Amino acid sequence: MSAPTRKRRRLTICAITASAALVAIPASAAPGGGGSPFGPRVLGQLAAEREQSVGTFAPSLKGEDGDGDDGNEADEIAEGADQYAEARTSPGVVAPGAYGAAWQSLNKLPRSKGSWRNVTDLPYNSDDPRYRDIDSNSSGGSGNVTGRMAAMAADDDGYVYAGSAGGGVWRSRSGGGHWRPISDRLPAQSTGALALDKAGRLWLGTGEATTNADAYLGSGVYVLTHPHHGTFSSRTRVGGDELESTTVRQLRFGGDKVWAATSKGVWSHSTKTLKGAWKLEFAPNPGFLPGGSEAADPNAPYKNIANDIAIDPKNPNKVVLAVGWRSGDDYNGFYTKGAGGTWTRITSGLGDLPADADGVGSVTFARSADGSRYYAIDESPEQLNTNPDSGLEGFYVSKSGSPTGPWTKIADYKGLAASGSALTSSGFMPGVQAWYNQFLTVDPSDPQHVYAGLEEVYESRDGGGTWSTVGPYWNFGFSCWGIDPAKQTGDCDQTTHSDQHGVAIGRYHGRSFVYVGNDGGVYKRPLNGRQNASGHATDWTSLNDGTIDTLQYYSVGIGKDLDHGGVLVTGGLQDNGQSVLRGDDRVMGSNFGGDGGDTLTDPANGCNTAEEYVFLSIQVTQNCAVNDGSWIDDASKATSFNVAPPDNATSEARFIAPLAADAKNPSTWIAGGRHVWVQTHGYAIRKGDEWTSVYDLGAGHTATAVAASGGKVYAAWCGPCNNQGFARGISVGNADGTGWHDITLPVDGTVPNRYLSGFAVDPKTADHVFLTVNGFSRQWTEGPGAGVGHVFESRDGGTTWKDISRNFPDVPADSAVITPNGGLAVGTDLGVVYRAPGRTTWQRVGDLPAVAVLQLKLGPDGTTLYAATHGRGIYAIRVRDCG
């Protein structure tokens, strides 16, 4: 039996946000047995598209050559990140403090009487044996998963701390598992860094620094004096607002100082007191900082990126800064303070570690507890831009223990590929996403025992002389793998989820463990664990037990569960596929792999589901994609089908493209790319050529939202979609292709010149429609026509619009739903607000933490509102409790 083809999806960044996923491997790609998870058709396409992308990366990442669903994941992550950011920053640059002000405004609103119920607070098994269909990653070996973990910390008393990308910080008192959130009161739930100081205090740097699409900026650095018991609050913030609206990649301690590597340079603060301002130690381009002469430049967010700080253990005044933008800039390099007290670039003496700007990108340091060694990972902009296989420059060691070296290279991507890696194919090898995936740590009792994370987890017990891939990307392609639903992952051992970000070493009941955080949550193994003959660990344990729900949903779908009773709840996730929760489930399953985008679900039968991958790649199933894997020997037994509209093949759709069913006729679907596509076969569709283009939005334009009711279709678009000439518009017509026209929206008109994110059409009359607008008002956004307002109403089919925002917080609005009683619910980047029928003002719904709600939908009977949060799973509330 040959290994099946598998999907692999991606991620996203915002100067305010980030996200990731896995690479789509279609059924026609028949992999060989050589240890590659990719088939020959995909390998050829990966190589070709990477070749085309060479040299296209720029500091602002504004390439318009989007990848199709078979494209290279690293490129797709970058593009997705760009697009997520564009929605929140266009038409210009957003000033610091926007989210903080929005959170304060939200908290001043009156609050509804109802409470949200977490729907997805139970284990989510990515290897669920029920769903071994052709488009699923089930049997890959990741086991139970949750949302992306950006940082980890652990102590010797069994306490483990996990910092998620968008769902806050969580604590376990039992060496992992039985988690509880401890940062829900903060205005930012995005984690950049976690660190325990010598006094046992837990330091939190908010603002995820992976520079992917759904990584949000933070509100500063906080300290928890008694982390075994306390919770973070705004009163525990260190310093003033100097680090608000930044990302924090690392926190390092030296002497009586804490150092922070941020998106606004390197800062320091005393560890003796939390009061007093942070000190800006070094910014390579200070004119691009907020308030500077070039702060409004589109590339300003990329001009002062700091990645890490290495402090000499023998002399805390001897410090090396790793500074630079992942895709390359003139300021990239290593800096140290000269005799005159000025930070200067190190141009020589580093040994094998590059000193030139082209060779220094994202960097991570780690030092041994005894001070005898320093280790480093270096991602190279030159490799990223020219090497189709990897962006990794290498792993390095300074055997002197000094951060100034000399450094010796101890690994490159070819050596890692030969260490038992699952990534051995041209176009996708170790370090291909080294700008996004990095961690590094040293065993506190052995300076030669090192763990390093890229897409996979690597271990060396001899100071880097040899490496083992103890946590392979997945098990597909290995000879031990099998699809038999009686086994988790054939005869292979469980591995971790892919895409590594955080690591910590701690003790529990006298035993030492290594904890890793990645796109699938938290995993652990004994620090000196076992390996098989291939170098793969045999003792990984998933700690994603359902008590930690940081799942990052883009969408939600709800339908009746005809087989199990109740309702079926499903949704598309960042890098964790499509979850499906049946009416009587105690464990969620995954029936589609990779990144899950938008979702359509038949209200009358939830097993009728359409799931979007990226760039409008759509799969459909009529049995929940239940399959025992028999399709691997008989393709006719597959129960999901690729039905992508043609804009997917031409890359003329957004990373997460809009998909909707007609509210009056659920068999009529609308999909938006460059074209507005319609198909009328509902869930019985089987091929992409069943779509019909009813309108061309124009070259360079891509749909951002679509909606339809009774045959009338609304489509919003942008193009260009970045802050260099941003434009947006609305087109209206009929599903049969007649009556299409563009609505005139002047740049200085009522509807702001910002990203148009969603429609809600009145079920009583299709000419009555509401529009949500993303981004921030002109108070925060420097750009032409940024305007004011986030919610607009039209009663004449979109010809004219009225701003109904009133007391609506100035926060990106993502989705809207008209409730059966005539109310209007809106999902925002900080929760849900509601306008009751007959009212003109807004109130906050429930008490969700500061988490993005990217989509709202009603249940089959209209009595329950569901919210897809991007960091805390799916929540539900009774409509009657919204007001």
Side-chain angles (χ1 to χ4, degrees):
M1 179 185 295
S2 62
T5 57
R6 277 295 176 273
K7 280 186 160 177
R8 161 83 198 149
R9 311 207 190 183
R10 336 321 173 210
L11 251 103
T12 358
I13 176 177
C14 204
I16 303 172
T17 5
S19 161
L22 299 174
V23 181
I25 305 186
S28 58
S36 164
F38 305 109
R41 183 172 75 85
V42 171
L43 293 178
Q45 205 158 356
L46 287 173
E49 293 186 8
R50 277 289 285 175
E51 177 111 3
Q52 292 172 3
S53 74
V54 165
T56 64
F57 286 92
S60 57
L61 287 179
K62 298 303 178 187
E64 296 297 329
D65 55 338
D67 296 323
D69 64 303
D70 294 331
N72 181 273
E73 182 186 7
D75 296 348
E76 291 189 7
I77 289 175
E79 179 64 18
D82 253 6
Q83 293 186 11
Y84 199 87
E86 290 166 359
R88 287 151 178 81
T89 58
S90 296
V93 176
V94 176
Y99 272 103
W103 181 244
Q104 292 179 15
S105 177
L106 185 70
N107 282 318
K108 291 178 182 178
L109 292 180
R111 188 170 301 184
S112 70
K113 59 184 179 182
S115 297
W116 290 96
R117 171 177 59 89
N118 190 345
V119 176
T120 53
D121 57 346
L122 70 172
Y124 175 31
N125 184 6
S126 68
D127 292 320
D128 193 314
R130 294 174 291 179
Y131 307 109
R132 296 284 164 98
D133 204 8
I134 193 169
D135 287 314
S136 170
N137 280 344
S138 179
S139 75
S142 296
N144 288 348
V145 298
T146 190
R148 185 170 71 250
M149 292 298 155
M152 299 295 303
D155 64 20
D156 290 339
D157 299 316
Y159 284 79
V160 184
Y161 308 94
S164 68
V169 181
W170 298 69
R171 174 175 59 213
S172 169
R173 294 188 169 106
S174 55
H178 304 288
W179 301 92
R180 294 290 182 270
I182 59 172
S183 65
D184 280 3
R185 292 187 290 166
L186 296 184
Q189 296 298 307
S190 173
T191 304
L194 287 175
L196 288 162
D197 65 16
K198 291 182 178 180
R201 297 179 297 180
L202 180 64
W203 293 68
L204 163 64
T206 60
E208 188 191 15
T210 52
T211 63
N212 71 307
D214 54 352
Y216 281 83
L217 296 180
S219 55
V221 174
Y222 300 82
V223 171
L224 196 52
T225 303
H226 303 290
H228 287 190
H229 308 289
T231 59
F232 288 102
S233 73
S234 58
R235 295 191 302 273
T236 63
R237 188 166 77 170
V238 181
D241 60 2
E242 300 84 16
L243 300 186
E244 185 162 331
S245 298
T246 64
T247 63
V248 179
R249 193 171 186 271
Q250 296 287 357
L251 293 170
R252 303 294 188 184
F253 302 100
D256 295 326
K257 276 186 181 180
V258 59
W259 296 72
T262 82
S263 54
K264 295 195 297 189
V266 178
W267 299 70
S268 71
H269 197 282
S270 170
T271 57
K272 293 182 176 181
T273 177
L274 305 185
K275 299 179 180 180
W278 285 83
K279 176 186 176 183
L280 177 60
E281 293 281 356
F282 177 63
N285 296 293
F288 290 90
L289 292 175
S293 59
E294 297 176 277
D297 188 286
N299 290 324
Y302 311 99
K303 288 295 187 179
N304 289 284
I305 302 292
N307 293 297
D308 209 347
I309 303 109
I311 303 168
D312 194 315
K314 303 178 182 67
N315 179 5
N317 294 316
K318 188 176 181 180
V319 178
V320 172
L321 312 179
V323 177
W325 171 234
R326 69 189 193 201
S327 299
D329 206 315
D330 292 342
Y331 73 89
N332 286 30
F334 298 101
Y335 293 77
T336 191
K337 189 174 286 188
T342 301
W343 293 96
T344 57
R345 189 196 305 263
I346 301 174
T347 57
S348 62
L350 291 175
D352 293 341
L353 190 64
D356 61 298
D358 289 340
V360 182
S362 294
V363 173
T364 301
F365 291 119
R367 77 183 186 197
S368 62
D370 65 0
S372 66
R373 292 192 173 213
Y374 243 110
Y375 294 89
I377 298 175
D378 178 32
E379 172 264 335
S380 162
E382 182 176 17
Q383 292 292 314
L384 178 67
N385 287 318
T386 62
N387 186 348
D389 299 328
S390 177
L392 179 69
E393 184 71 24
F395 296 171
Y396 301 84
V397 63
S398 169
K399 295 181 180 179
S400 69
S402 170
T404 58
W407 294 85
T408 302
K409 180 180 277 193
I410 53 176
D412 60 19
Y413 76 93
K414 293 181 179 179
L416 294 174
S419 70
S421 171
L423 306 180
T424 59
S425 303
S426 176
F428 206 88
M429 298 182 75
V432 70
Q433 295 167 195
W435 57 268
Y436 170 66
N437 304 313
Q438 283 191 24
F439 73 54
L440 190 62
T441 193
V442 186
D443 183 341
S445 62
D446 182 356
Q448 298 206 79
H449 188 194
V450 185
Y451 277 89
L454 295 171
E455 298 77 27
E456 304 171 298
V457 182
Y458 306 97
E459 180 183 19
S460 175
R461 297 174 185 265
D462 58 5
T466 58
W467 293 88
S468 298
T469 308
V470 291
Y473 192 88
W474 51 23
N475 288 326
F476 298 127
F478 294 137
S479 60
C480 57
W481 176 85
I483 203 168
D484 182 356
K487 299 179 180 181
Q488 178 188 354
T489 179
D491 293 326
C492 299
D493 293 293
Q494 175 169 319
T495 183
T496 68
H497 195 287
S498 57
D499 299 335
Q500 313 304 316
H501 305 294
V503 64
I505 294 172
R507 293 176 64 81
Y508 182 57
H509 290 333
R511 299 182 63 197
S512 294
F513 294 90
V514 60
Y515 299 88
V516 301
N518 50 47
D519 274 14
V522 187
Y523 296 77
K524 78 172 181 180
R525 70 181 294 247
L527 180 59
N528 292 288
R530 301 183 306 275
Q531 299 178 15
N532 62 24
S534 300
H536 304 155
T538 63
D539 44 16
W540 285 110
T541 299
S542 169
L543 300 178
N544 309 304
D545 58 1
T547 63
I548 183 170
D549 185 0
T550 59
L551 291 168
Q552 296 170 284
Y553 282 94
Y554 289 111
S555 63
V556 60
I558 316 95
K560 293 180 180 179
D561 192 336
L562 302 184
D563 297 325
H564 300 265
V567 296
L568 178 152
V569 181
T570 183
L573 289 150
Q574 183 273 321
D575 208 15
N576 282 302
Q578 186 88 3
S579 71
V580 55
L581 176 62
R582 307 297 296 270
D584 59 354
D585 273 353
R586 295 187 178 182
V587 175
M588 287 195 299
S590 177
N591 54 0
F592 293 94
D595 263 324
D598 215 336
T599 299
L600 292 183
T601 305
D602 185 350
N605 180 358
C607 272
N608 289 337
T609 303
E611 179 262 5
E612 181 201 13
Y613 178 31
V614 295
F615 301 111
L616 213 55
S617 174
I618 299 171
Q619 290 78 35
V620 65
T621 181
Q622 290 189 281
N623 77 331
C624 281
V626 171
N627 200 294
D628 63 3
S630 56
W631 64 269
I632 198 168
D633 296 315
D634 182 354
S636 68
K637 293 185 177 180
T639 52
S640 57
F641 308 90
N642 189 328
V643 297
D647 280 354
N648 168 251
T650 59
S651 301
E652 293 178 292
R654 292 185 65 75
F655 183 78
I656 302 297
L659 179 65
D662 189 299
K664 296 292 182 62
N665 183 1
S667 292
T668 297
W669 295 1
I670 317 298
R674 168 181 169 170
H675 303 83
V676 179
W677 297 95
V678 173
Q679 71 91 7
T680 58
H681 301 154
Y683 298 92
I685 185 175
R686 290 295 179 265
K687 296 180 180 179
D689 60 10
E690 296 177 51
W691 294 90
T692 299
S693 173
V694 296
Y695 193 63
D696 185 348
L697 296 173
H701 296 170
T702 52
T704 60
V706 295
S709 181
K712 183 158 190 171
V713 181
Y714 294 88
W717 55 265
C718 64
C721 296
N722 57 39
N723 53 19
Q724 300 178 21
F726 176 84
R728 88 290 185 243
I730 296 175
S731 300
V732 180
N734 299 313
D736 63 5
T738 63
W740 278 92
H741 59 285
D742 296 328
I743 301 295
T744 301
L745 295 175
V747 170
D748 58 351
T750 301
V751 177
N753 186 40
R754 304 200 307 269
Y755 185 94
L756 308 180
S757 55
F759 295 104
V761 185
D762 189 338
K764 297 177 182 178
T765 171
D767 283 341
H768 185 204
V769 60
F770 296 93
L771 170 71
T772 55
V773 180
N774 213 291
F776 291 90
S777 72
R778 61 191 177 212
Q779 177 184 357
W780 299 103
T781 304
E782 296 183 18
V788 295
H790 290 274
V791 187
F792 297 81
E793 180 180 20
S794 173
R795 293 183 177 273
D796 55 11
T799 302
T800 60
W801 296 89
K802 175 184 178 183
D803 183 359
I804 60 169
S805 303
R806 296 291 293 267
N807 64 329
F808 194 99
D810 188 5
V811 62
D814 301 302
S815 175
V817 165
I818 299 173
T819 57
N821 62 357
L824 183 65
V826 177
T828 78
D829 272 8
L830 293 175
V832 180
V833 294
Y834 178 73
R835 192 186 72 169
R839 302 289 183 88
T840 59
T841 57
W842 302 84
Q843 63 187 50
R844 183 181 178 187
V845 179
D847 55 356
L848 290 175
V851 63
V853 177
L854 298 188
Q855 192 172 83
L856 294 173
K857 282 186 181 175
L858 293 169
D861 63 3
T863 63
T864 304
L865 179 68
Y866 290 82
T869 80
H870 203 69
R872 291 297 281 269
I874 294 172
Y875 280 77
I877 191 171
R878 291 285 185 181
V879 171
R880 69 187 183 210
D881 294 331
C882 290

